[in-house]
Amino acid sequence: MSTKTPDLHAAYALESPEDHKRLYAEWAGDYDEGFAAREDYQLHVHTARAFVSAGGQGPVLDVGAGTGLCGAVLAGLGVGPIDATDISTDMLDRAMRKDIYRDAIEADLNQGIPVPRESYSGVVSSGTFTHGHLGPEALSALLRVARHGAQFALSINAQHYEKLGFAEALHKMAQGQIQNLSLTEVPIYGDLAAGPNKNDTALIALFERV
Ligand SMILES: C[S@@+](CC[C@H](N)C(=O)[O-])C[C@H]1O[C@@H](n2cnc3c(N)ncnc32)[C@H](O)[C@@H]1O
């Protein structure tokens, strides 16, 4: 195990599923009080609020749920039930301790999600469509588990959006698979952030499954 505390820089450089499991196993215990508190992380709040403002309802799947920050905001806004899915057992363990999720589903999203088709009326994701993590090819697995009319609120790191061709992927999906697509740029961190990424932004993609 590395002696260095994992950080965003290391997370952005991840390549394989094994890299993800290893880094997040080390990061899980410190993620909320270390990274999220120190960097005044706000993306989970923007994502959850956007979902609720768009009329999103449960059952909801929180994709790349991590330690459950987005789910906690959703639950506080009265949304439920919420399931958490993530590649990292250790992050999911932390999430389940918060007592907000109905179920934890360990899965590599690039390989699909082991739940029946059309299980969810809502899908949220904060901080997982980002550098070194998930690209647009993961979106089809989310459509499969969403019901007709399901509301999506997905944060996508703005630089990652440009680099990985999310615009094209969403445009294709808008030809019959999704509707009412909107993109709103939000800051990932608050005023207290001090790290090199403090001014980074994300796009919140809101849309509905047709
Ligand atoms: C930066 S964290 C975000 C966690 C949480 N949503 C938040 O906003 O704090 C990214 C999460 O994505 C998960 N992840 C990375 N690659 C994944 C994959 N291929 N499938 C599912 N989850 C993945 C990681 O384990 C980690 O918990």
Side-chain angles (χ1 to χ4, degrees):
M1 188 188 272
S2 139
T3 49
K4 197 170 170 284
T5 309
D7 59 13
L8 201 61
H9 181 69
Y12 278 0
L14 292 173
E15 287 181 5
S16 71
E18 289 67 36
D19 285 349
H20 277 271
K21 290 181 190 171
R22 195 165 41 242
L23 178 121
Y24 280 103
E26 288 180 35
W27 208 2
D30 181 52
Y31 185 91
D32 289 5
E33 291 79 21
F35 162 72
R38 192 180 54 240
E39 293 302 328
D40 196 11
Y41 181 62
Q42 298 292 327
L43 191 52
H44 56 300
V45 180
H46 293 303
T47 306
R49 285 189 183 157
F51 178 78
V52 172
S53 299
Q57 291 177 355
V60 180
L61 183 65
D62 183 359
V63 176
T67 60
L69 293 177
C70 189
V73 179
L74 279 180
L77 293 171
V79 175
I82 314 168
D83 290 343
T85 187
D86 202 285
I87 198 172
S88 165
T89 328
D90 300 81
M91 293 294 267
L92 283 175
D93 282 350
R94 292 277 159 179
M96 291 311 278
R97 287 188 206 177
K98 292 187 174 143
D99 234 4
I100 40 177
Y101 291 104
R102 175 179 65 178
D103 208 357
I105 303 153
E106 191 181 324
D108 176 351
L109 194 64
N110 288 318
Q111 305 298 321
I113 308 167
V115 298
R117 280 181 177 277
E118 301 182 16
S119 292
Y120 297 101
S121 298
V123 179
V124 299
S125 182
S126 80
T128 300
F129 286 92
T130 190
H131 306 294
H133 289 54
L134 295 174
E137 55 288 343
L139 294 171
S140 59
L142 303 188
L143 287 180
R144 193 191 73 82
V145 300
R147 294 177 183 160
H148 297 283
Q151 179 66 52
F152 282 68
L154 309 179
S155 83
I156 307 167
N157 176 289
Q159 292 169 356
H160 189 64
Y161 183 93
E162 293 297 331
K163 261 202 246 167
L164 267 80
F166 277 91
E168 199 189 342
L170 288 169
H171 179 72
K172 270 196 196 144
M173 284 163 58
Q175 312 295 309
Q177 292 179 292
I178 65 170
Q179 62 186 7
N180 295 332
L181 171 66
S182 73
L183 295 162
T184 305
E185 191 164 12
V186 297
I188 299 177
Y189 305 100
D191 295 341
L192 304 178
N197 295 90
K198 65 180 182 188
N199 295 320
D200 284 5
T201 61
L203 298 170
I204 307 279
L206 283 175
F207 55 88
E208 295 151 28
R209 186 190 186 299
V210 170

